[in-house]
Structure formats: C-alpha cells, structure tokens
Amino acid sequence: MKYCQNCILPDTRPNLVIRDDGICNACKSHKTKKIINWQKREEAFGRVVENAKMHSQGYDCLIPVSGGKDSTWQVVKCLEKGLNPLTVTWRAPGRTPLGQRNLDNLVQLGVDHIDYQISPKVEKKFLYEALKRYGSSGIPMHMAMFNIPPRIALRFNIPLIVWGENSGFEYGSKNEELTGFALDSNWFREFGVTHGTTAEDWISDKLSKKELTAYFRPSDMELEEKGIKAIFLGYYFMWDPEETLRVAKENGFQIRKDGPKTGYYNYADVDDDFMSIHHYLKWFKFGFTRLFDNLSLEIRNNRISRKDAIQILTEKGDQTPIEDNNAFCKYVDISESHFFEICEKYRNKDIWFYENNKWKIKDFIIPDWEWQ
C-alpha cells in the first residue's frame, strides 16, 4: 500500500490514484477549489434555477434528502434561491431517533416531503445477498438512494434534481469527465457504490423483478426526453463539511452529543445505524476506515496537519462498530459468527498477512499500530 503524502488515504481506496509526486488525485482536485471562480459558478446556478422555474409544472426541483447536515444545507440553498422543492427520502431500515428529528426539522423549513420505505422483507433479503456476493451492505442503500429520486422526478415532471457533493471530485476519480456538475448513468456506474450492478443483476429465485421495483433507475434517455437535469450543488458552491454544518445548525440541525460513532465527525452518519457496517467492511477490503476519509478532508481544509491526523488515528483505532454489527445481524436474521465469516471472505490478502494470531497490514501508515 502507498499512502498519499499530503493526506492519509491509501491507493487501495477505489478511484484514488497516487502519482509519482506522492500526492493523490483527491488532494489535487481539492487544490483546484482555490482557483475556481465561485462567483461565476453561483451565477451559473442562477441560470439553472431560472431554467427550472421556466419549465416547472409545480415543483421546481427535487432534492434527495436524509435529514443529515448536507441535505439540510441543500434545502436551505434551494429555498434561498426561490425554488419550490419536493424532498424525497429513502427510509433507511436503521434510521435513528436523531435522524428522524433532523428529518422532521428539515421538512419544517417549508418543503413537501416523501418518505419512501421499501418492504423490510425485500430489504433484508437484498442486504444479505449483497453482503454475500460483494461483501458490501451498502449496495441496496445506494441503489435506493440514487434511483428512487429520478423515478419520482419523472412521475411528477420535475425539471431539476439537486444532489449534494460529487464524490468523484471530493474523493478522487480516474475519469475527470465525471467530476463536474451532472449525475447521469455513467456517474452512477462509477460512483454509485453498487459494484457496477443494476437492479436487473439482482433478479433471482430469492428476489423477483417486482420486489426490486424501487431499485430500477430510469434511463438517461427517459430523463432527457422529459427535460430533467440532475446536478451537484457542490459544483456551484464550495463544499466544506464545516460550512454545511454551520448552515444546517443555524436552521435547527442537531449533532450527536456523545461523539462520533464512526469516523471523526459527530455530525456525519447520524441518521442511520447501518451506515457504520458499510464503512466497517472497508477495513477488510481496502485497509482503511471512515476515519481516514474524514481526517483527510480536515487536512485538505487546513484544519489539522498530517501528523495530527495520524495521532488521532492511533488513538481511535479501527472503530469496530460492535453494537451496530449486532443490530445489523439481528435485522437480516443471521448470527454474528456468520457475519464475520462473510467479512473474512473479503479480507484483501494482497495487503493483509497473518502473524502471531493476528491479522496485520504490511507497511501500515502507523508502524506501532495495536492490531486486534
């Protein structure tokens, strides 16, 4: 494994590339924020807004929301621009009480809202099949998050879908064409966190096509024929977690009082207990955790040094989400031992080795790491 010499991410992270100078493409993308003319970008967003209003038949835009600080920020920005939004949420099976309060607060800002819940029987089967096939509990979640909103926009003839950050720009992309303002099927294939699969690929004797209805995505042609554009708000306004948090808190968003469950932020992933499972599996497959991502953002935003980040990483460890793991196993009706059997199946032997009854990573970023 090679680690970026500016942040702490390894080259095992999907879509991350570390060049000969030792700096990753995510860090280089972030540096371009300093030379972007954000005033012109905001003016361009103004034209997007006017176009949406011109073609609106009721709702000017659709905003996919979770109730998190980013979606609260998205709603505030769109309301400030005079848009009449419909907000849509895929209801996570592990939704937290805090997540529900923040979602209720978001709606109270003055928007119509659809809380879209998929049958728990279907979700349980899909979660388990995804865990078995790819070692990824996030596939059903991301497939629902990215596919339900455009389907609803199509049904309501809503001309604009307003997403938040472009993860291809923020976390690195091997294809620079996908780091811009638009979310289409090419972006979804690359960054949708579905291992390149679509709902069609999951039809089996366990999951029927009808059961998977919510996970099917409209084609780009269907959206184009209706004049529906899908944009990233992070293209038009500088995306910084601390700034979106500030705006969200000013508008009633609440953070976790007992610190972060996983990662560095006590305001991220507060709405769904099962998000930590998705992040936990990165440790087996790629040798890094949610904390690496968060701390790398802090380094890029000049709030901490790389040395400080490594110290924080040392203190917090791998942050195994024991309670969430147990809750997830109970939800999908499997034993904890079976869950860990599946996790072990996806341990990346190119980076992990077994020594003295412990799994370790060769040339890990922290030489004296306390392996569990």
Side-chain angles (χ1 to χ4, degrees):
M1 290 170 69
K2 285 169 58 181
Y3 296 89
C4 175
Q5 294 306 298
N6 183 62
C7 69
I8 57 173
L9 286 175
D11 60 356
T12 51
R13 194 190 198 286
N15 294 303
L16 194 89
V17 178
I18 299 176
R19 306 296 183 188
D20 292 340
D21 59 3
I23 309 300
C24 74
N25 52 351
C27 285
K28 289 182 177 179
S29 287
H30 190 271
K31 286 183 179 179
T32 66
K33 290 184 177 183
K34 296 177 181 178
I35 59 174
I36 291 172
N37 188 326
W38 291 105
Q39 184 177 343
K40 284 192 174 182
R41 289 278 181 97
E42 186 168 356
E43 290 170 0
F45 183 67
R47 293 190 290 273
V48 171
V49 168
E50 290 309 311
N51 183 70
K53 289 179 179 178
M54 187 185 306
H55 293 92
S56 170
Q57 297 180 29
Y59 294 116
D60 300 322
C61 67
L62 182 147
I63 311 175
V65 299
S66 65
K69 51 97 182 173
D70 291 340
S71 54
T72 303
W73 178 80
Q74 287 163 244
V75 168
V76 169
K77 277 292 180 187
C78 288
L79 290 175
E80 286 176 348
K81 297 297 180 180
L83 288 163
N84 176 36
L86 171 65
T87 56
V88 176
T89 303
W90 160 70
R91 187 182 180 88
R95 179 179 288 174
T96 65
L98 177 56
Q100 185 63 60
R101 290 198 298 274
N102 280 326
L103 184 58
D104 292 341
N105 175 75
L106 181 152
V107 175
Q108 291 300 316
L109 294 175
V111 293
D112 289 359
H113 178 246
I114 294 174
D115 202 13
Y116 196 118
Q117 182 169 7
I118 296 172
S119 161
K121 290 183 178 180
V122 173
E123 280 192 317
K124 288 177 184 181
K125 289 190 289 184
F126 198 178
L127 278 167
Y128 180 58
E129 291 302 311
L131 186 68
K132 281 198 306 179
R133 192 189 298 187
Y134 289 108
S136 174
S137 64
I139 291 175
M141 169 183 66
H142 289 96
M143 205 171 279
M145 282 168 45
F146 287 118
N147 294 343
I148 290 171
R151 181 68 67 187
I152 292 176
L154 203 61
R155 296 283 184 180
F156 281 86
N157 294 309
I158 303 173
L160 180 66
I161 304 173
V162 181
W163 298 93
E165 65 177 340
N166 183 340
S167 57
F169 180 83
E170 299 295 338
Y171 296 102
S173 171
K174 295 177 182 177
N175 186 347
E176 292 188 4
E177 292 180 4
L178 301 179
T179 61
F181 66 89
L183 192 164
D184 57 16
S185 58
N186 289 329
W187 187 95
F188 176 69
R189 241 186 330 267
E190 189 76 20
F191 300 108
V193 198
T194 65
H195 284 264
T197 65
T198 64
E200 194 81 32
D201 299 311
W202 293 93
I203 298 172
S204 67
D205 57 348
K206 297 181 179 66
L207 288 165
S208 70
K209 185 173 183 178
K210 283 191 174 183
E211 286 179 309
L212 292 166
T213 296
Y215 300 100
F216 278 87
R217 180 180 180 80
S219 68
D220 289 348
M221 185 176 294
E222 286 178 284
L223 296 172
E224 286 172 11
E225 286 176 352
K226 287 277 191 174
I228 298 171
K229 300 182 184 300
I231 59 134
F232 292 106
L233 203 57
Y235 176 83
Y236 299 96
F237 301 91
M238 186 180 291
W239 193 269
D240 180 346
E242 288 294 333
E243 173 60 16
T244 58
L245 173 66
R246 182 190 66 78
V247 173
K249 287 178 72 175
E250 286 178 357
N251 288 274
F253 175 79
Q254 298 176 28
I255 63 175
R256 280 176 57 91
K257 294 181 179 178
D258 50 353
K261 183 179 292 188
T262 186
Y264 185 61
Y265 304 130
N266 62 354
Y267 51 78
D269 305 324
V270 300
D271 51 341
D272 181 10
D273 281 337
F274 294 166
M275 272 299 294
S276 56
I277 311 301
H278 166 67
H279 294 307
Y280 176 57
L281 284 152
K282 295 176 183 176
W283 186 232
F284 291 82
K285 297 160 85 173
F286 310 119
F288 75 97
T289 66
R290 178 66 159 168
L291 191 56
F292 281 70
D293 273 330
N294 293 164
L295 292 173
S296 292
L297 280 176
E298 291 301 294
I299 292 170
R300 292 180 201 128
N301 283 298
N302 298 314
R303 286 190 281 267
I304 61 172
S305 68
R306 190 174 190 270
K307 182 180 178 181
D308 290 339
I310 291 174
Q311 181 59 38
I312 293 168
L313 196 62
T314 303
E315 293 168 359
K316 290 187 176 289
D318 62 19
Q319 295 185 312
T320 299
I322 297 172
E323 289 183 10
D324 290 354
N325 285 351
N326 295 343
F328 176 83
C329 291
K330 187 175 180 180
Y331 182 78
V332 297
D333 197 23
I334 61 174
S335 67
E336 292 173 46
S337 60
H338 183 49
F339 170 76
F340 284 109
E341 283 173 10
I342 295 173
C343 291
E344 285 299 334
K345 178 182 173 185
Y346 290 95
R347 190 183 290 275
N348 184 349
K349 303 295 176 56
D350 288 336
I351 60 174
W352 289 91
F353 69 99
Y354 199 66
E355 181 181 73
N356 298 328
N357 296 318
K358 293 180 181 179
W359 282 105
K360 302 178 181 180
I361 294 175
K362 184 180 180 182
D363 299 325
F364 192 57
I365 192 169
I366 300 171
D368 58 348
W369 181 265
E370 193 167 327
W371 299 100
Q372 302 300 318

